[in-house]
Amino acid sequence: MGDIRRRSAVVLGVTSLVAPLALALGATPAQAASCTSSTGPYQKKVEKFLGRPVDGKQSSADCKAIRAFQTKHGITPNIGYAGPVTWGVMDLMNKQKAVGKNPNKSGKCPTNKGRIACVNLTLQLSWIQDGKKLVYGPVPVRTGRNGYETRTGLKKVYWRNIDHVSTIYDVPMPYSQFFDGGQAFHSVGVSMWNPPGSHGCVNMTKTAAKKYWSLLKTGDDVYVYGRKPGT
């Protein structure tokens, strides 16, 4: 038994040296990827969005700014490359900003239902209105990714749980307001522009989810329409 213990101690000792030795030999963690010097296909558009000099050529300063944006919104790989995913997020932000305080300009969300929570999947925006009166929003949301799309149509809030925890994914879903099976409004701790999206729920910031919790009640209408980019 004593010999077995000594052998185990040797094995553990060798194992504990593997990671430091690997680092000493030059290996680096995956998240420590270097900033790319490559010019991306959306370089000029990304530079303009970030307020950088628009010359269409990648610089170290460009890369640093792009990488900071990618890191903030959970875009991977976050190496500062002006690719389609990064530009897609920026383009969506521009479109959301252009909506201003008239999110139902098209009239697609019903105005004859009284209080109703509207979700525009195409623009990834949600708001609450009473008839034609805007009550709150619009706010950016994060809806279902490809294969887990947030279902469209007219629904109703049927159950609310302020401290809900998902029984499927075992993750907290604060301020949950369910309106279609397992799909609900609730807050999350990631960016609203974090790709590729949720598992069907309408993710919100804590501030927005708390406001929805205070403004909606069981039985209130929810209308979901459009199509999320990439689905």
Side-chain angles (χ1 to χ4, degrees), residues 104 109-118 127-136 215-217 220-221:
N104 199 33
C109 192
T111 57
N112 61 346
K113 297 288 185 180
R115 180 152 298 190
I116 185 170
C118 310
W127 64 94
I128 296 174
Q129 62 186 39
D130 262 322
K132 294 183 179 180
K133 180 184 177 183
L134 181 64
V135 176
Y136 179 71
L215 292 172
L216 298 177
K217 64 182 185 301
D220 279 346
D221 288 302

Side-chain angles (χ1 to χ4, degrees), residues 30 33-34 36 66-67 70-71 74-83 85-86 195:
S34 59
T36 183
I66 297 169
R67 190 177 186 186
Q70 292 169 335
T71 301
I75 299 169
T76 55
N78 60 334
I79 58 173
Y81 184 71
V85 175
T86 298

Side-chain angles (χ1 to χ4, degrees), residues 35 40 43 91 101 137 140 176 204:
C35 211
Q43 192 73 32
D91 187 43
K101 287 295 182 179
S176 284
M204 317 181 89

Side-chain angles (χ1 to χ4, degrees), residues 34-44 46-47 56-60 62-64 66 70 79-83:
S34 59
C35 211
T36 183
S37 59
S38 299
T39 297
Y42 296 90
Q43 192 73 32
K44 286 187 176 181
V46 169
E47 288 169 347
K57 299 177 182 178
Q58 179 80 313
S59 68
S60 58
D62 286 339
C63 187
K64 184 177 180 180
I66 297 169
Q70 292 169 335
I79 58 173
Y81 184 71

Side-chain angles (χ1 to χ4, degrees), residues 149-169:
E149 292 85 355
T150 304
R151 294 179 285 274
T152 57
L154 183 63
K155 302 116 182 342
K156 286 185 182 291
V157 175
Y158 72 87
W159 186 55
R160 295 168 17 117
N161 185 346
I162 198 168
D163 293 315
H164 188 70
V165 176
S166 171
T167 55
I168 299 175
Y169 302 106

Side-chain angles (χ1 to χ4, degrees), residues 7-228:
R7 289 179 182 176
S8 298
V10 171
V11 171
L12 288 172
V14 171
T15 302
S16 67
L17 289 174
V18 171
L21 181 59
L23 290 174
L25 292 174
T28 56
Q31 63 268 28
S34 59
C35 211
T36 183
S37 59
S38 299
T39 297
Y42 296 90
Q43 192 73 32
K44 286 187 176 181
K45 291 182 176 180
V46 169
E47 288 169 347
K48 183 178 180 180
F49 182 92
L50 294 174
R52 298 287 310 149
V54 182
D55 59 8
K57 299 177 182 178
Q58 179 80 313
S59 68
S60 58
D62 286 339
C63 187
K64 184 177 180 180
I66 297 169
R67 190 177 186 186
F69 179 88
Q70 292 169 335
T71 301
K72 180 178 181 179
H73 299 296
I75 299 169
T76 55
N78 60 334
I79 58 173
Y81 184 71
V85 175
T86 298
W87 171 244
V89 170
M90 293 176 174
D91 187 43
L92 179 61
M93 287 180 170
N94 283 334
K95 291 175 180 176
Q96 290 172 334
K97 185 177 180 180
V99 168
K101 287 295 182 179
N102 191 15
N104 199 33
K105 184 178 180 179
S106 66
K108 290 183 178 179
C109 192
T111 57
N112 61 346
K113 297 288 185 180
R115 180 152 298 190
I116 185 170
C118 310
V119 182
N120 182 334
L121 297 177
T122 305
L123 292 179
Q124 293 289 282
L125 288 176
S126 183
W127 64 94
I128 296 174
Q129 62 186 39
D130 262 322
K132 294 183 179 180
K133 180 184 177 183
L134 181 64
V135 176
Y136 179 71
V139 293
V141 292
R142 181 174 179 263
T143 67
R145 68 187 71 180
N146 191 36
Y148 297 89
E149 292 85 355
T150 304
R151 294 179 285 274
T152 57
L154 183 63
K155 302 116 182 342
K156 286 185 182 291
V157 175
Y158 72 87
W159 186 55
R160 295 168 17 117
N161 185 346
I162 198 168
D163 293 315
H164 188 70
V165 176
S166 171
T167 55
I168 299 175
Y169 302 106
D170 194 29
V171 294
M173 296 168 56
Y175 304 99
S176 284
Q177 300 190 80
F178 290 86
F179 54 81
D180 186 349
Q183 297 188 350
F185 295 113
H186 68 86
S187 72
V188 292
V190 299
S191 166
M192 290 302 100
W193 298 276
N194 176 256
S198 73
H199 285 93
C201 286
V202 178
N203 293 166
M204 317 181 89
T205 64
K206 184 177 181 180
T207 297
K210 286 177 69 175
K211 192 67 175 179
Y212 268 50
W213 182 269
S214 70
L215 292 172
L216 298 177
K217 64 182 185 301
T218 301
D220 279 346
D221 288 302
V222 176
Y223 187 67
V224 183
Y225 67 96
R227 185 172 182 174
K228 176 182 170 71

